Amino acid sequence: MTTVTAEPYWQNIFQRLLGELDGRNSPDWHADEASLDPAIYLDDERFAREQAQLFRRFPLCLGPADQLREPGSVMARDICGVPVLMTRTRENTVKVLLNVCRHRGARLVVEEGEPCRRQSLVCPYHGWAYRLDGSLAGVPRAEAFPTLDRHLTGLRELPSAVRHGMIWAMLDPAAALPDMASFLDGVDGDLAAAGLGSHRFYRQSTSRRATNWKLIVEAFLEIYHVTRLHSGTIGPFFADSVSVSDPLGPHIRFLAARDRTRDIRDLPPERWTLSEHGTLVHYVFPNTIIIHHPDYLSHLGLFPIGPGETLFVHSMLTPSLPRDDKAEAHWARSFDLIDRGVFAGEDLPICEQIQRGLASGANDRLIVGRLEQNLKRFHASLDQALG
Ligand code: FES
Ligand SMILES: [Fe+2]
């Protein structure tokens, strides 16, 4: 079980959460109601601008580096239309490459979303071979290419880094990766304090969802629905509609009160824990959600395919690898509850229903109340980047 103490890092936000339990003290309770234009979820032109100005210009979190556990691991995934190949080289370095042969463009690794082991990357079309760092290792009938410079003909690499155990990359090979600590702003310290980097990859689910990616982000930014939509699953573990939030640069920190949050009144601050007394959620701009469950973490990567279609990738991270069958059964049950029961069973169907509802033209505006102020923060971040 993760035991992350509240003192001193989380003490302030827990104190504010207690204040919310006692009364409605957050500035959100003085905010104006707002509304959102359904067109932002439907419009092709908006989608194209998001692709160009968000998904090609900012680092995206592609998932846990620990999923590529051993040197020689490779995994292909199409991210926002870009064929990406992640590898762990023999030198134990994570590389993010384009999964596109430099000869005539065939795909090197065809299996998608499944880590596999490779000595080298051999193109199925004419057999050009690449090392896992992307360098060109061999060309059959090389005499047919008398002027080919092998050193200049490696796979295109995407700028990337591993921070907090996660792979971050730019989808544009010509873009520069910003300093990740600066980019993550206040989230960087939170993720360090929560120990994200020491967690291990446990399991992943991937599905294509008939909904705009922003509707999924929004489902993880407000507490209002949790005791209602999730009344048959996780709802009873939460207080009704009590949370505190902070914008951290373009990102958001969001702490939701649980049924046991009240207990901290009788405990010294050093015993206030994320594992028992609150559920922390981070939105990392533009398309990442990290949920700090009582004894494991969920990373959600939301990769748009079209205005009404999103690749949803959920990775579960645990404090350690399962040491025995009992631990494995425990994590398997947790994954099943959250991934199948809550996300696939409750949140994502609602998002898909909303997408269809918006397309019907029924709502000319979507109404955002005081418990949903993070939606305003989220859209303000997007609007700023979209100009
Ligand atoms: S396209 Fe890859 S070897 Fe020809
Ligand atoms: Fe939910």
Side-chain angles (χ1 to χ4, degrees):
M1 169 159 306
T2 320
T3 301
V4 180
T5 55
E7 170 68 24
Y9 193 87
W10 308 106
Q11 187 175 341
N12 176 277
I13 193 168
F14 266 107
Q15 264 160 347
R16 286 165 49 212
L17 192 62
L18 266 187
E20 278 306 290
L21 272 174
D22 293 339
R24 299 299 195 182
N25 297 315
S26 152
D28 287 4
W29 287 102
H30 302 286
D32 293 331
E33 285 174 72
S35 64
L36 296 166
D37 182 352
I40 64 175
Y41 308 97
L42 301 168
D43 190 54
D44 287 328
E45 186 273 334
R46 162 79 185 214
F47 176 77
R49 278 199 300 134
E50 289 177 353
Q51 289 292 296
Q53 291 172 237
L54 301 178
F55 292 91
R56 297 294 192 279
R57 285 208 194 149
F58 291 94
L60 306 182
C61 184
L62 302 189
D66 190 38
Q67 195 173 10
L68 302 168
R69 194 156 284 162
E70 308 290 339
S73 303
V74 306
M75 189 171 81
R77 171 163 281 147
D78 280 16
I79 305 275
C80 304
V82 177
V84 169
L85 184 62
M86 293 170 268
T87 70
R88 187 178 287 279
T89 68
R90 268 189 223 173
E91 295 73 35
N92 211 17
T93 303
V94 172
K95 290 271 183 188
V96 182
L97 307 163
L98 289 176
N99 189 13
V100 180
C101 180
R102 293 302 300 277
H103 174 218
R104 280 171 47 208
R107 184 173 287 239
L108 292 154
V109 176
V110 178
E111 305 88 344
E112 223 187 300
E114 282 296 325
C116 45
R117 298 291 294 275
R118 294 288 165 88
Q119 294 278 355
S120 60
L121 304 164
V122 180
C123 181
Y125 201 1
H126 311 95
W128 285 30
Y130 303 84
R131 299 177 191 90
L132 295 194
D133 64 4
S135 58
L136 182 60
V139 174
R141 310 309 306 228
E143 66 275 21
F145 303 93
T147 62
L148 181 74
D149 184 340
R150 289 190 186 202
H151 299 292
L152 297 178
T153 321
L155 300 178
R156 293 299 299 274
E157 183 171 355
L158 299 180
S160 71
V162 174
R163 189 163 184 87
H164 302 295
M166 308 300 283
I167 302 171
W168 308 81
M170 307 292 291
L171 287 187
D172 177 357
L177 188 81
D179 173 73
M180 284 307 301
S182 306
F183 172 74
L184 289 171
D185 206 292
V187 173
D188 196 59
D190 281 16
L191 297 182
L196 172 60
S198 62
H199 279 64
R200 306 303 303 267
F201 173 73
Y202 174 66
R203 196 166 287 180
Q204 186 170 78
S205 78
T206 304
S207 56
R208 287 168 84 113
R209 294 288 168 177
T211 184
N212 187 275
W213 67 280
K214 298 186 291 296
L215 291 171
I216 305 179
V217 171
E218 291 165 9
F220 293 93
L221 290 183
E222 48 94 348
I223 186 69
Y224 186 27
H225 77 281
V226 171
T227 53
R228 296 170 183 82
L229 175 63
H230 302 307
S231 60
T233 52
I234 55 170
F237 300 117
F238 287 84
D240 179 12
S241 301
V242 179
S243 66
V244 287
S245 299
D246 296 302
L248 303 170
H251 322 293
I252 299 170
R253 170 207 287 143
F254 166 45
L255 182 65
R258 297 179 67 86
D259 54 337
R260 297 190 57 188
T261 302
R262 287 176 200 285
D263 297 353
I264 67 178
R265 285 205 187 87
D266 302 321
L267 294 172
E270 60 271 19
R271 292 186 52 200
W272 302 354
T273 66
L274 287 181
S275 52
E276 291 173 275
H277 301 120
T279 291
L280 185 69
V281 176
H282 286 103
Y283 160 67
V284 183
F285 178 87
N287 68 328
T288 295
I289 297 283
I290 298 168
I291 306 164
H292 305 253
H293 302 285
D295 59 355
Y296 64 96
L297 300 170
S298 286
H299 166 259
L300 309 182
L302 309 167
F303 303 107
I305 297 167
E309 190 168 19
T310 301
L311 182 71
F312 173 85
V313 184
H314 169 215
S315 305
M316 176 171 165
L317 296 127
T318 52
S320 59
L321 294 175
R323 291 192 187 88
D324 51 31
D325 290 349
K326 192 170 159 223
E328 167 60 32
H330 169 75
W331 296 127
R333 268 196 311 277
S334 296
F335 185 79
D336 189 58
L337 168 69
I338 201 71
D339 188 76
R340 192 180 58 78
V342 178
F343 298 161
E346 295 172 339
D347 289 304
L348 295 170
I350 290 280
C351 297
E352 294 180 325
Q353 290 159 20
I354 294 172
Q355 187 74 22
R356 290 197 297 276
L358 297 180
S360 77
N363 297 17
D364 55 353
R365 307 294 292 171
L366 300 179
I367 302 165
V368 175
R370 289 175 167 173
L371 282 165
E372 299 151 289
Q373 292 298 300
N374 279 339
L375 274 65
K376 276 167 57 177
R377 297 184 178 103
F378 167 50
H379 286 284
S381 291
L382 299 185
D383 290 347
Q384 189 170 11
L386 291 169

